[in-house]
Amino acid sequence: MESHWDPFATNASTVHEPTSVSNDELYLSWFQTADTDGDGRLTGPDAVTFFQRSGLQRDALAKVWAAADYSRRGFLDLPAFAKAMELISVAQRTGKVGGEAYTQAKAMGVAPPRMAGLEKKAGPGSHTERGGINPFGGAESSESTPRLASSPPVGVPPFKLAFPPQAEASSHPSTARTTSRRHQSLRRPVMTTKEAVGISEGLKNIYFNKIRPLEDGYKFGHFFSPLLSAGDFEAKPSVLLLGQYSTGKSTFIKFLLGRDYPGIHIGPEPTTDRFVVVMHGPEERRTPGNTLVVQPDKPYTGLSQFGNGFLSKFESAQCDNRLLEEISLVDTPGVLSGEKQRIERTYDFIQVCGWFAARCDLILLLFDPYKLDISDEFKEVISTLRGHDDKVRIVLNKADSVDQQQLMRVYGALMWSLGKVFRSPEVCRVYIGSFNASNPIRDDVNPTCKPLFEKEQEDLLHDLYDIPARSCDRKVNEFVKRVRAAKIHCLIMGHLRKQMPYFGQKKAQEKLMDNLANEFRQGLRSCIWIQHPPDAIANVIHPADAGDFPDVNRYRDILSAFDISKFTKLDKSMIKQIDDSLSIDIPQLVRQMDNPYV
C-alpha cells in the first residue's frame, strides 16, 4: 500500500510515555523547563523548541498554538500551556487538533502527551533531561529555580457560556513574575519592542517611550481622550450597554451571567441610577467610584476628570462568574428625555458615555417595542459613538411581547429612527429577541417568530463569545487610531505655535481662533510638506488626510483655555518618532506576537 504524508504523524522511537504523576505537577515541571527566562510566559521561540519534542508536524503545531493562544496575546501562561499539552496529546492519538476530538477526550480525561527526551517521572523542580543536562541553559545553576504556583485543572466549569479555558495572564497566580536575583538583574529601565512579551506590554512600551511625551507636551488629553495609564493596556475586554430606562439593560446582564450581580435592581421605573462596571472577583463586593479611580492597575483612572458628581454615581460590582473572567460589563443609567436630564444629572452624561465607548470592545444599544423614540439626550449619546461604528450593535429586546404584524412595523420604525441619527450608509446589525433570565421566550403572542428569536439570540451570544479572541486586534486598532490622532494634533498645534509672534501674542491668538478653519487647512498643507519634499507635491490637500482632522468648532472651544505661545515648537524629529511607531514598531510587534509557526 502506498504511503502518504501525514501532518500529524509522530516518531514513536523518539518519544517516551510519562508515568502516572499528577498532570498539574507534570505540566508545571514542563512549563518551567520550556520557559527559559522564568517569567511565567512561554513565548513563540521557546514554544517552537519545546513543542517539537512531540514529533508533530509544523502544520499541526500551528493549530495547537492558535487554539491555546485563543486571545492572541503572543505567549502562553501555565493554563494555556496545559491546554496546548492536551491538544498535542489528542493529536498524537487521533491525528486531529481541537474540535470534536478534543471535546470528547476532555470529557473522559486527557493523558499527558509523549514528549521526546523528557524524564518519564517529572515533578515540580525537575528540569533535567535523561542525561541530567538542561538543554536550555547548560549545567543546572546552584541558585534555586523560581516556581510557578500550581494551576487549577484546565477546563471549562459547568456554565452556559463556554469560553475557552484560558484566564487572563494578570489574574492567575501562576503568571506572577519571579523576584529572584537572577531575573532582577536582567530587568532594564527601558524595554525595546523586541523584548516585549505580549501585545499589551509591547503597546505600552511604545506608548510610554514615544507617544506619551508628545501627548503630554501638546495637551492631547484635553482635546481627545485622557492620557492612557498602564491599567488601560492590561484591561480585560468590556461591553457597554446603553438605552432608555426599562429597556432591559440590567436584565440582559443577568441573562448573560445567569445570576444577579451585587447591587442590581430591576423594575419598570428608572432603577439603575449609576454606572456599574460588573467585573470578576473571588467574592461579592461593591467598590465606590472614588476608590476605583485611584487604583493604577484598574483602567478607570481617567474618569477622575468628571469630578465627584460622577464618581458618586460610579461603582464596580464584583462576583465570581465564568463569563466575567473573560470580559467586563458596563451597566448604565437609563437615558432620560425632556428637561429631566438637565435637572437631574450632576455630571456630563454624554462625555462619560463617550469615554467608555472609546475603551470598550462592543456597544449594545437596547430598545424595546414600546420605547422606540430617540430623545435629545440619546441622540447626543449616539453622536459620541461616531468613529466606533464597528463596535455598535442594536438589540430590539422584548420582541416576543408583540405579534408578527406589530413586530414588522416596530422594526421598520426603529430602522427609520436610527437612520436619521446615525447618518451613515451602513446599516447597524440589529438583533431581535427577548433576553430575560427569569422567563423563556414567549410563544403565546407570536409563536411564528419564536425560531427567529432563538436564532437571533444565538447570533448575539456568538458575537459576545468572540470578544476575547478579537481583544488584541481591537487594542492594536484603537492604539493606531489614537497615534494617528495624536500626530494630527501635534501638527495642528505646531502650526498654530509657529504663527505666534514675539509681541502681541494675545491679539494674534484671537485672530487665529477667528480663522481656525483656514489654519486647519494650512496645518494640513504643512503636514504634507513636512513628510514630503516640496518638489514631490503640488501643494494639494489629500482627502484622506483631511478626514483625519478633528472638528474645528470643538477644537476652538477647548483651545480658547490655553496660551498657544506656551506650547513647544514642533520639530521634524517629533513627527518622525510618531511615523516610526506607525510604520516600524507596531507592525514589528504584531509580527513578533503572531503564530510562531506561520
Side-chain angles (χ1 to χ4, degrees):
M1 182 177 179
E2 185 179 358
S3 63
H4 63 279
W5 175 73
D6 183 358
F8 301 103
T10 63
N11 188 342
S13 63
T14 61
V15 296
H16 307 273
E17 290 282 359
T19 58
S20 58
V21 296
S22 166
N23 283 9
D24 290 344
E25 292 179 350
L26 185 64
Y27 292 153
L28 173 59
S29 175
W30 287 0
F31 184 82
Q32 291 173 323
T33 300
D35 183 21
T36 56
D37 57 3
D39 66 349
R41 298 179 178 186
L42 186 65
T43 55
D46 285 345
V48 170
T49 301
F50 188 82
F51 287 179
Q52 70 183 5
R53 300 168 178 270
S54 66
L56 296 178
Q57 298 296 324
R58 287 183 63 90
D59 289 350
L61 293 176
K63 296 178 181 179
V64 169
W65 176 275
D69 184 26
Y70 178 74
S71 298
R72 291 195 60 198
R73 295 177 297 175
F75 64 89
L76 304 181
D77 56 10
L78 181 54
F81 174 80
K83 180 180 180 182
M85 292 297 99
E86 292 179 337
L87 289 165
I88 289 175
S89 177
V90 174
Q92 288 176 341
R93 289 164 172 77
T94 66
K96 299 178 181 178
V97 177
E100 187 176 349
Y102 175 71
T103 303
Q104 293 176 352
K106 186 67 181 175
M108 298 182 293
V110 182
R114 303 182 300 276
M115 306 297 285
L118 292 180
E119 289 281 5
K120 288 186 176 181
K121 184 176 181 180
S126 176
H127 288 227
T128 59
E129 295 202 2
R130 290 189 169 275
I133 300 174
N134 186 339
F136 301 98
E140 286 293 318
S141 172
S142 59
E143 184 181 13
S144 60
T145 304
R147 296 185 182 181
L148 299 175
S150 179
S151 170
V154 178
V156 181
F159 183 74
K160 65 179 181 180
L161 294 181
F163 276 96
Q166 181 173 332
E168 287 290 323
S170 60
S171 65
H172 198 283
S174 65
T175 61
R177 292 181 177 270
T178 177
T179 57
S180 67
R181 293 188 301 274
R182 177 168 62 91
H183 296 294
Q184 283 181 339
S185 64
L186 296 177
R187 292 177 182 171
R188 302 179 182 179
V190 177
M191 177 172 46
T192 65
T193 302
K194 186 174 290 188
E195 293 171 319
V197 179
I199 290 288
S200 298
E201 191 169 338
L203 294 178
K204 182 167 59 176
N205 172 44
I206 295 171
Y207 178 73
F208 283 104
N209 289 331
K210 292 191 173 183
I211 308 302
R212 173 71 178 261
L214 296 176
E215 287 189 356
D216 206 12
Y218 286 102
K219 308 301 179 185
F220 179 77
H222 293 271
F223 292 83
F224 294 87
S225 57
L227 303 182
L228 300 179
S229 65
D232 290 313
F233 292 93
E234 301 297 338
K236 291 180 182 179
S238 61
V239 178
L240 175 66
L241 287 85
L242 294 168
Q244 300 186 81
Y245 70 90
S246 194
T247 53
K249 297 186 297 297
S250 300
T251 305
F252 184 83
I253 293 178
K254 181 179 178 181
F255 168 80
L256 294 178
L257 301 182
R259 52 159 294 174
D260 291 339
Y261 65 79
I264 189 174
H265 180 50
I266 299 173
E269 74 284 1
T271 52
T272 303
D273 66 340
R274 59 190 63 235
F275 283 79
V276 182
V277 178
V278 187
M279 61 177 63
H280 181 263
E283 59 183 0
E284 294 194 3
R285 178 183 177 187
R286 298 171 66 183
T287 305
N290 280 290
T291 304
L292 281 174
V293 297
V294 297
Q295 300 181 49
D297 60 324
K298 297 285 194 301
Y300 308 114
T301 54
L303 289 170
S304 58
Q305 64 174 315
F306 298 110
N308 286 325
F310 166 72
L311 296 179
S312 63
K313 298 292 185 180
F314 173 55
E315 68 177 29
S316 71
Q318 296 183 5
C319 58
D320 189 10
N321 186 273
R322 178 69 185 95
L323 169 63
L324 297 179
E325 293 180 12
E326 304 290 344
I327 63 176
S328 297
L329 304 170
V330 183
D331 198 2
T332 62
V335 179
L336 302 176
S337 58
E339 292 294 319
K340 293 183 69 176
Q341 67 261 32
R342 297 186 177 92
I343 299 173
E344 297 187 0
R345 303 287 194 202
T346 59
Y347 57 92
D348 193 332
F349 179 78
I350 310 300
Q351 292 298 320
V352 172
C353 290
W355 189 95
F356 277 104
R359 287 160 173 77
C360 71
D361 294 71
L362 197 67
I363 304 169
L364 298 181
L365 300 182
L366 277 80
F367 295 85
D368 75 26
Y370 302 101
K371 289 188 175 65
L372 296 178
D373 60 306
I374 300 178
S375 65
D376 292 340
E377 187 178 40
F378 206 1
K379 287 180 182 177
E380 292 184 49
V381 169
I382 294 176
S383 69
T384 65
L385 305 182
R386 288 173 185 164
H388 309 294
D389 307 58
D390 56 320
K391 303 179 186 178
V392 178
R393 306 289 186 273
I394 309 298
V395 178
L396 180 57
N397 198 13
K398 307 178 184 179
D400 59 348
S401 61
V402 295
D403 61 34
Q404 190 172 3
Q405 184 180 21
Q406 290 174 323
L407 180 61
M408 181 181 66
R409 292 173 176 170
V410 164
Y411 182 81
L414 175 61
M415 297 302 293
W416 182 79
S417 298
L418 292 174
K420 291 175 61 180
V421 177
F422 277 97
R423 298 177 182 176
S424 172
E426 293 84 11
V427 179
C428 294
R429 175 68 165 93
V430 180
Y431 296 98
I432 305 172
S434 180
F435 303 90
N436 193 326
S438 303
N439 301 312
I441 297 175
R442 294 172 54 183
D443 56 6
D444 56 333
V445 178
N446 189 1
T448 306
C449 289
K450 184 176 180 180
L452 169 66
F453 298 153
E454 293 173 342
K455 186 65 171 64
E456 291 283 284
Q457 185 180 97
E458 180 182 339
D459 288 348
L460 177 55
L461 292 179
H462 184 272
D463 212 356
L464 291 171
Y465 298 162
D466 202 35
I467 289 176
R470 292 182 284 125
S471 176
C472 281
D473 292 329
R474 196 274 307 173
K475 284 184 179 180
V476 174
N477 182 64
E478 293 298 317
F479 185 74
V480 171
K481 285 166 57 177
R482 183 184 182 93
V483 173
R484 287 175 59 88
K487 174 184 174 181
I488 295 296
H489 176 74
C490 291
L491 289 167
I492 291 174
M493 298 308 301
H495 172 75
L496 296 177
R497 174 64 182 85
K498 190 177 180 180
Q499 309 309 309
M500 296 297 292
Y502 286 104
F503 302 101
Q505 293 177 346
K506 183 176 180 182
K507 186 174 292 186
Q509 179 161 336
E510 292 175 355
K511 185 178 179 180
L512 288 174
M513 293 296 98
D514 295 337
N515 196 32
L516 194 60
N518 185 57
E519 295 298 334
F520 265 38
R521 288 191 290 272
Q522 293 292 332
L524 178 57
R525 190 170 292 112
S526 299
C527 163
I528 301 176
W529 279 65
I530 286 175
Q531 299 176 79
H532 303 278
D535 58 349
I537 59 172
N539 204 21
V540 177
I541 298 176
H542 195 281
D545 294 319
D548 288 335
F549 269 58
D551 180 75
V552 176
N553 295 325
R554 181 175 178 274
Y555 227 80
R556 181 185 291 111
D557 293 339
I558 300 173
L559 192 57
S560 61
F562 293 93
D563 183 353
I564 297 178
S565 64
K566 301 298 183 184
F567 285 96
T568 306
K569 290 185 178 181
L570 185 65
D571 188 275
K572 286 186 178 181
S573 62
M574 299 178 182
I575 300 302
K576 185 178 186 304
Q577 186 169 302
I578 298 179
D579 287 337
D580 287 347
S581 298
L582 290 170
S583 61
I584 300 175
D585 296 335
I586 297 176
Q588 178 184 352
L589 175 67
V590 173
R591 286 194 300 269
Q592 179 183 339
M593 300 306 162
D594 212 343
N595 192 316
Y597 293 94
V598 176

